Amino acid sequence: MLNADVRLEWLVSFLAVVETGGFSSAAEATHRSQPRISMHVASLERAVGVPVLDRRKRPSAVTPAGAALLRHARAILQEVELAEAEMSSFRGGARGVVNFGAYPSASAAFVPQVLRDLAESEPDITVSLVETDTLELDSALLRGDIDLCLRPIAPRPAQGAIRTRPLWRERLVAVIPEDDPLAEEDKPLGVADIAHRDLISIGRLESDVPPSFEAYQLFRDEGYELHPVQATNQPQSLVSMVRAGLGIGLTNALAAQISDLSGVRVRALRGPHERVVAVCWNADAVLSPAARTVLTALAQAPAPAGTRPVDRSRPGVRQVIAPPRRIHPASE
């Protein structure tokens, strides 16, 4: 029968096995030996009185009793985390390493000032920055390789549940060679103005499934399908390909803003679609006090120049992005 003798480390090891899919991967994730992980789970099962893991399956799966216990284990560890966060205020602040992911344009235009402010206000917190595209950020969050990330709301994650706090909105733009007739005007471009031109997008070319990031949605809403001749997750690469005459680039305003725009012009795209960027974390993971401190700093930081901040009058409101029914590749 479950009693007060159950140790938190047993729950930590049990949760690690469930989240990583096996005892050896749980040992690696928690920096414990595999025999110790096995001992913790066995001790937990003796305390519970029934098996909580089906060891015949690969990866390891929870039993019905294990699924019920899993909900309580997560709640217990989250409460411990909240208690630690409150106690840290009495010790003079949080400390530790926070692994933080971001995609290129947000990393260049927003992250440096946040890191500078954190270094001054929270000297005992070390932020380790990881730059990659959205798809990789999702995977890293779910694996536990990063604690937090900056991510566009679209495309939705392919798996898992990711909790978000929106930070800013930005327009979609077209990047045009300066000798192109379309570069002569300043008013926003319509999809029909460029739909039959060679186009360069952020994202990936190799998938047969149309990506669900904002420019693709805009084209579909206007009755077109976006089939780019080239794609990249690096803003400067997109601008350089436009400068070389490969086509018109489609990206977000922040990506254009951080790039060298010599030889090209930038025009806004007409339509309701905008990029909404949020700070995100794994809804099933326990955030450390240091990670919560960084999360608060990101949520309170001014939006980058050229973007519009999301209304933060209700800072406690959070959103969970559940995975879509169909898996879409991600973009920058």
Side-chain angles (χ1 to χ4, degrees):
M1 144 171 218
L2 202 58
N3 55 50
D5 292 333
V6 171
R7 299 179 182 178
L8 288 177
E9 61 183 356
W10 299 352
L11 299 178
V12 171
S13 293
F14 168 55
L15 192 60
V17 173
V18 173
E19 291 180 343
T20 64
F23 286 79
S24 59
S25 52
E28 182 178 354
T30 60
H31 306 288
R32 293 170 171 156
S33 67
Q34 184 171 339
R36 181 169 292 274
I37 295 289
S38 298
M39 181 184 69
H40 288 171
V41 174
S43 298
L44 182 61
E45 288 179 323
R46 284 195 297 271
V48 172
V50 292
V52 296
L53 290 173
D54 187 345
R55 292 165 174 78
R56 297 170 300 177
K57 295 183 178 180
R58 295 290 184 274
S60 299
V62 292
T63 63
L69 180 61
L70 185 62
R71 294 193 298 272
H72 294 291
R74 285 175 171 153
I76 290 168
L77 294 175
Q78 286 171 354
E79 284 299 319
V80 171
E81 174 198 344
L82 291 174
E84 165 60 21
E86 187 168 350
M87 292 303 100
S88 68
S89 64
F90 294 96
R91 297 194 301 265
R95 63 186 65 227
V97 177
V98 177
N99 296 308
F100 171 59
Y103 62 97
S105 59
S107 180
F110 177 70
V111 172
Q113 186 61 50
V114 175
L115 295 184
R116 178 179 175 177
D117 292 344
L118 275 168
E120 294 177 355
S121 63
E122 301 290 343
D124 292 328
I125 295 178
T126 299
V127 179
S128 177
L129 177 63
V130 177
E131 284 188 307
T132 187
D133 63 39
T134 300
L135 182 62
E136 291 303 320
L137 289 173
D138 289 346
S139 300
L141 273 179
L142 296 175
R143 290 194 307 266
D145 294 343
I146 57 177
D147 304 295
L148 304 165
C149 73
L150 286 177
R151 180 198 193 282
I153 294 294
R156 298 167 67 192
Q159 57 183 337
I162 294 178
R163 192 176 296 273
T164 74
R165 183 171 295 177
L167 301 181
W168 71 77
R169 300 175 181 274
E170 54 184 294
R171 298 289 300 271
L172 302 182
V173 300
V175 183
I176 307 167
E178 63 181 4
D179 58 354
D180 191 292
L182 289 177
E184 297 176 0
E185 298 185 30
D186 292 326
K187 64 182 182 180
L189 281 168
V191 170
D193 297 324
I194 57 175
H196 302 294
R197 301 284 299 271
D198 289 341
L199 300 173
I200 304 166
S201 174
I202 50 176
R204 300 177 180 177
L205 282 183
E206 65 267 23
S207 175
D208 294 330
V209 182
S212 58
F213 87 109
E214 303 89 353
Y216 286 79
Q217 295 171 357
L218 176 61
F219 269 61
R220 286 196 289 271
D221 286 354
E222 295 293 326
Y224 297 92
E225 286 294 330
L226 174 56
H227 297 292
V229 297
Q230 192 51 262
T232 177
N233 283 308
Q234 295 296 329
Q236 190 60 62
S237 296
L238 181 143
V239 172
S240 296
M241 284 190 280
V242 172
R243 188 184 297 118
L246 296 180
I248 293 174
L250 303 175
T251 187
N252 54 297
L254 205 57
Q257 180 179 306
I258 65 162
S259 301
D260 173 9
L261 297 177
S262 58
V264 302
R265 291 284 306 277
V266 176
R267 289 182 63 180
L269 287 175
R270 188 167 61 244
H273 288 285
E274 295 179 300
R275 165 164 286 195
V276 179
V277 177
V279 56
C280 307
W281 62 101
N282 185 352
D284 295 326
V286 176
L287 289 180
S288 68
R292 285 188 175 275
T293 299
V294 175
L295 171 60
T296 299
L298 291 164
Q300 294 177 348
T307 70
R308 295 186 294 112
V310 172
D311 182 10
R312 299 178 189 175
S313 61
R314 301 174 62 196
V317 175
R318 298 171 184 171
Q319 174 184 6
V320 174
I321 307 178
R325 293 184 180 180
R326 295 182 65 189
I327 295 177
H328 299 295
S331 64
E332 187 233 357

